[in-house]
């Protein structure tokens, strides 16, 4: 076991070690120090007034050197070879390097700009949510002017006098049972007014549902009547029309109601197609004959994304269609999705042979 320990200098010079007392733990040195045995090793504790008594070598220039020098210790001066790696030097003062100062200024500016952008984005999001909330409020208030059935088997019962007291440009009411589509329809002298204007004349992010100004009011008079509505990202307005590019969703819609002050039209979906805002064929309203209308609808069927299985046969019996148009965002804001609907009597082949609307498809209301 002795080989695991090194002999101290005192052990090697054993003849100079004073004898231990009976306790064997302390011995008095001639210079006044105390020798103490600790854990198999020896250390000497000399009086603090005599640091040399413990045998510690002393250098005249030995002194405590702080990691950060004082202002007058002569060590704060930097060597010409010193390269700074952060914006503070060892003295604790900021670097005076103009490049680092410029970098600090740029960092602060970028931080401020970043905070401003975050605040702006948050403000825009809050404002957008408020706009959608206001649009929902407007829609709910207008919806109160019509009573609709729970199952959609009966048409909406509309308070026309109440609607006209708010805005006399109302021409009809459109409803797709089982969806959010349940709105009054307005018609202005252009197609811009109701894009972002409410029925009361104020700003509304979703505007109102409106009929093309070129159509003969109140609709279902021309070969094609075209109604526009915004595709709202929260699922309201005409978002349902855009969803009907899915065949399952399309097949799930069996009835579309269009009600005017004088007549009620029960329709059903024929097809859905997509185009862009510059397509002139989308706004064709009058046709020289039913055959011309049939050719037009057959062309739409050729580019339809969803349709009823017997669409071609139905087209051959059609003399009027109601088309609902909204935006799609697959190609920016320029895309359009259009749902073409036909009166159920024409789809079923029960329309009057003279072209007039039969009682079960368009009924006069008192």
């Amino acid at each position: 076991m002795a080989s695991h320990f090194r002999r101290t200098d005192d052990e090697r010079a054993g003849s100079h070690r004073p004898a231990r007392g009976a306790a064997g733990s302390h011995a008095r040195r001639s210079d006044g120090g105390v020798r103490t045995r600790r854990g198999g090793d020896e250390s000497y504790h000399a009086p603090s007034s005599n640091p040399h008594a413990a045998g510690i070598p002393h250098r005249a220039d030995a002194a405590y050197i702080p990691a950060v020098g004082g202002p007058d210790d002569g060590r704060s001066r930097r060597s010409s070879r010193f390269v700074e790696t952060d914006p503070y030097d060892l003295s604790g003062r900021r670097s005076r390097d103009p490049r680092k100062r410029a970098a600090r200024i740029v960092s602060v500016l970028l931080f401020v700009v970043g905070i401003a952008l975050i605040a702006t984005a948050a403000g825009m999001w809050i404002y957008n949510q408020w706009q959608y909330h206001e649009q929902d409020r407007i829609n709910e208030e207008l919806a109160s002017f019509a009573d609709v059935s729970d199952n959609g088997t009966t048409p909406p019962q509309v308070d026309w006098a109440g609607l006209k007291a708010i805005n006399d440009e109302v021409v009809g009411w459109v409803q797709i049972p089982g969806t959010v589509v349940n709105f009054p329809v307005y018609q202005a002298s252009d197609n811009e007014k109701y894009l972002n204007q409410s029925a009361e004349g104020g700003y509304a992010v979703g505007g109102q549902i409106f009929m093309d100004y070129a159509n003969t009011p109140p609709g279902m008079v021309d070969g094609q009547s075209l109604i526009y509505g915004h595709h709202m990202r929260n699922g309201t307005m005409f978002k349902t029309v855009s969803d009907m590019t899915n065949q399952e969703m399309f097949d799930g819609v069996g009835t579309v109601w269009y009600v005017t002050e004088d007549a009620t039209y029960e329709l059903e979906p024929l097809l859905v197609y997509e185009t862009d805002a510059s397509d002139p064929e989308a706004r064709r309203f009058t046709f020289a004959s039913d055959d011309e209308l049939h050719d037009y609808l057959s062309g739409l069927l050729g580019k339809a994304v969803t349709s009823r299985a017997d669409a071609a046969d139905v087209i051959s019996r059609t003399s009027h269609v109601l088309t609902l148009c909204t935006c799609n965002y697959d190609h920016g804001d320029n895309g359009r999705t259009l749902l073409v609907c036909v009166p159920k009597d024409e789809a079923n082949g029960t329309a009057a042979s003279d072209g007039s609307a039969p009682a079960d498809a368009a009924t006069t209301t008192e």
Side-chain angles (χ1 to χ4, degrees), residues 254-257 265-269 308 342-351 360-361:
T255 299
V256 177
W257 290 106
Y265 300 89
E266 184 178 12
L267 307 102
E268 57 188 59
R308 56 187 294 164
V342 297
K344 281 195 173 183
D345 67 297
E346 295 181 9
N348 298 330
T350 58
D360 62 345

Side-chain angles (χ1 to χ4, degrees), residues 57-74:
H58 173 72
R59 290 176 51 193
D61 60 347
Y64 173 74
I65 301 176
V68 177
D72 298 321
D73 63 1

Side-chain angles (χ1 to χ4, degrees), residues 2-15:
S3 62
H4 289 278
F5 300 91
R6 292 182 179 178
R7 297 179 62 194
T8 66
D9 292 338
D10 289 340
E11 288 174 336
R12 285 192 294 269
S15 60

Side-chain angles (χ1 to χ4, degrees), residues 120-140:
T120 300
M124 292 176 64
W125 183 85
I126 293 171
Y127 180 62
N128 186 65
Q129 295 303 305
W130 177 81
Q131 287 183 317
Y132 271 70
H133 170 76
E134 284 298 294
Q135 184 67 59
D136 290 343
R137 180 188 62 79
I138 293 170
N139 292 341
E140 289 173 4

Side-chain angles (χ1 to χ4, degrees), residues 69 72 93-94 148 187 199 268 271 273 314 320:
D72 298 321
R93 296 190 296 267
R94 277 190 180 276
V148 298
Q187 186 180 36
E268 57 188 59
L271 60 89
Y273 74 99
V314 170
H320 300 84

